[in-house]
Amino acid sequence: MSDLLPAVRLGTRVGRAVVLTTVLGSGMAMLDSTVVNVALPHIGRDLHASLAVLQWTVNAYMLTLAGLILLGGALGDRFGRRRVFVVGVVWFALASLLCGIAPDAGVLIAARALQGIGGALLTPGSLALIQAVFHEDDRAAAVGAWSGLGGVAAAVGPFVGGWLVDGPGWRWVFLINLPVAAVCVPVALRYVPETRAPGARGRFDVLGAVLGALALGAVTYALIAAPEKGASPQVVVPAVGGLLLAAAFVYVESRRADPMLPPGIFSVRMFSAVNGVTVFVYAAFSGFFFLAVLQLQVVAGWSALAAGTALLPTTVLMLLLSARSGKVAQDIGPRIPLTVGPLLCAAGMLLMTRAGAGAVYWRDVLPALVVLGLGMVVLVAPLTSTVLASVDVARAGLASGINNAAARAAGLIAVAALPLAAGMGADTYRDPAAFSGAFETAMVLCAGSLVLAAVLAWATVRVPPAVAEERAPCHPECTYHCGVASPPLDPGDV
């Protein structure tokens, strides 16, 4: 069915099966980007781990996912989206098993890196499968069902993660992926038609993907090691090496015939500006969600379940209001939402500094999360639509992939750099008083990043080129934007 018109109808058993398996697959990767944060204090206590180990538990996954996600999409286009999706789900499940039985921190970090590879294979394929196999009359409804159900999964994820951590233990945050994969894979193999992108040719940019991942990894290592080792060769050498690798990545991408990241796309002023906003925004988001659950458990003394459940308002607000926000942004343009949204998020993060020892949820935490959630509602949907509208329709999928990778890379660097900038040491998370003071500093830094995003948006974002040239813009097909780790991968509705 690779080159035929899609014919699957949503109301059929096959249509429902396609939605089910793609929701299960993408839901695993989405949840792992958030629920692991809830388990971090327990992981640290059980494995006698330093703060650096907790950072790597998050960043090992983000590193391979950010570095390989564009390559994963290209593999699906060439070799079959269902095939690569299934391989990704199986890979992710096996890596999750290794995480769940990890005897020490080193094995856990390595397994998390393997999980990220699986996520890079399955994440691009989930929405691509929906768009490729459904009849054009049902495609919008199918994408709506996929994004809505994915939003529900994102909303309940921290609650489920907290319940697992407080109940059977943190290892079940990873082991829960095994039964999900056991349902997902057989359904995909039986019901999902295979599709490929017509005309997908050329060599894969493996060298570019490796250079990009190595550059991010080296810089991340230097930032995480700096609090313990200072300006020693163990920090300076990987930092300089990471910068040199980044320069080599730019050079290779500018010379390749089929680069993973075509430099020419950044000549579009609007695209570059919105990606700059994305970097500042998702650096702040990743830093916040990494540290907030630690603050609630270490300083406020809450259980993992209470800390995970406390974060629900942000995702629920996005689930309920993001579709309306996208429509409003289409009416008034992206400049105001991309300016006001980050400022609201900054206010929410500053309010979160009230969540210290003896914090009361409705008084000290809920107001901060409601303001943060409203800011995310205002911001995230217009961000995605502006990225898609800023480039030609033929490059919308590439633009969305780059924007997603930029957000994940920004989150990776933020989780590595923010504890250093806030003055956290290796054992700070074991000392409630020390961690509380560093958390307040970190929230100010996150708010500052969001203010920079607002200033950049106000100064650079105007009417998207498609509107200015009176050509049909490419609009997002995802109506629910509930991911806090990155904007959705969405190649648009054209």
Side-chain angles (χ1 to χ4, degrees):
M1 185 172 170
S2 60
D3 297 313
L4 301 177
L5 290 175
V8 173
R9 304 307 296 254
L10 181 59
T12 64
R13 181 168 62 175
V14 172
R16 290 189 291 269
V18 172
V19 172
L20 171 66
T21 192
T22 52
V23 168
L24 290 176
S26 61
M28 283 198 310
M30 180 183 294
L31 292 180
D32 247 62
S33 298
T34 55
V35 301
V36 172
N37 291 346
V38 179
L40 290 176
H42 291 255
I43 292 174
R45 187 161 52 249
D46 191 26
L47 300 182
H48 309 289
S50 66
L51 179 62
V53 169
L54 302 189
Q55 289 172 277
W56 274 116
T57 300
V58 174
N59 273 353
Y61 176 80
M62 295 172 65
L63 174 62
T64 50
L65 181 59
L68 301 176
I69 196 166
L70 292 175
L71 181 61
L75 289 170
D77 289 343
R78 174 78 67 83
F79 295 117
R81 299 183 180 101
R82 184 189 67 179
R83 176 182 299 172
V84 174
F85 175 80
V86 168
V87 169
V89 171
V90 173
W91 187 304
F92 194 93
L94 292 176
S96 298
L97 174 61
L98 187 56
C99 289
I101 63 175
D104 54 47
V107 174
L108 176 61
I109 291 169
R112 287 286 284 162
L114 292 174
Q115 262 194 320
I117 297 174
L121 295 175
L122 72 91
T123 300
S126 57
L127 179 59
L129 282 172
I130 292 281
Q131 293 181 311
V133 305
F134 276 98
H135 191 281
E136 61 182 8
D137 292 341
D138 290 346
R139 191 177 303 138
V143 172
W146 174 84
S147 60
L149 291 171
V152 172
V156 302
F159 169 81
V160 173
W163 176 77
L164 289 172
V165 170
D166 284 339
W170 65 264
R171 295 179 183 275
W172 281 93
V173 170
F174 302 106
L175 296 176
I176 193 67
N177 292 326
L178 299 179
V180 175
V183 174
C184 181
V185 170
V187 173
L189 292 175
R190 179 173 182 179
Y191 292 105
V192 178
E194 185 61 282
T195 64
R196 296 175 178 84
R201 300 289 184 272
R203 295 190 301 172
F204 293 110
D205 188 9
V206 176
L207 178 59
V210 171
L211 285 173
L214 289 176
L216 286 171
V219 172
T220 300
Y221 176 85
L223 290 170
I224 292 176
E228 291 186 56
K229 300 180 179 179
S232 65
Q234 295 98 318
V235 172
V236 174
V237 171
V240 173
L243 296 176
L244 293 176
L245 286 167
F249 171 77
V250 173
Y251 176 79
V252 167
E253 296 302 280
S254 66
R255 293 301 184 99
R256 289 187 66 92
D258 298 305
M260 177 183 71
L261 185 66
I265 197 171
F266 290 98
S267 64
V268 180
R269 182 173 176 270
M270 178 72 75
F271 179 76
S272 297
V274 176
N275 274 282
V277 173
T278 298
V279 166
F280 286 121
V281 163
Y282 280 93
F285 288 171
S286 295
F288 174 84
F289 285 103
F290 173 67
L291 294 176
V293 288
L294 286 171
Q295 173 77 0
L296 294 176
Q297 293 180 70
V298 172
V299 178
W302 294 6
S303 67
L305 177 59
T309 306
L311 302 178
L312 280 176
T314 55
T315 310
V316 170
L317 285 170
M318 294 178 72
L319 179 62
L320 295 176
L321 301 176
S322 57
R324 297 180 184 178
S325 171
K327 293 177 181 177
V328 170
Q330 290 179 19
D331 294 335
I332 67 174
R335 189 186 188 194
I336 292 176
L338 294 185
T339 302
V340 173
L343 293 177
L344 281 173
C345 292
M349 291 187 184
L350 293 177
L351 286 173
M352 194 66 182
T353 59
R354 295 167 53 87
V360 177
Y361 180 69
W362 65 266
R363 183 191 65 200
D364 302 313
V365 178
L366 182 59
L369 294 174
V370 168
V371 173
L372 174 62
L374 290 175
M376 295 174 77
V377 165
V378 173
L379 166 66
V380 176
L383 190 70
T384 298
S385 62
T386 308
V387 165
L388 294 179
S390 66
V391 298
D392 295 332
V393 168
R395 296 199 293 179
L398 174 64
S400 178
I402 292 173
N403 187 242
N404 184 280
R408 295 184 187 277
L412 170 73
I413 297 299
V415 171
L418 192 58
L420 171 64
M424 294 184 184
D427 295 316
T428 299
Y429 81 97
R430 304 180 195 276
D431 183 344
F435 189 87
S436 181
F439 177 77
E440 291 181 8
T441 302
M443 291 302 97
V444 172
L445 293 173
C446 288
S449 180
L450 289 161
V451 171
L452 289 175
V455 171
L456 179 61
W458 183 259
T460 60
V461 174
R462 297 292 185 272
V463 177
V467 177
E469 298 168 12
E470 297 184 353
R471 59 181 171 85
C474 185
H475 296 299
E477 279 205 313
C478 292
T479 53
Y480 300 98
H481 300 261
C482 299
V484 298
S486 68
L489 279 169
D490 189 340
D493 63 351
V494 178

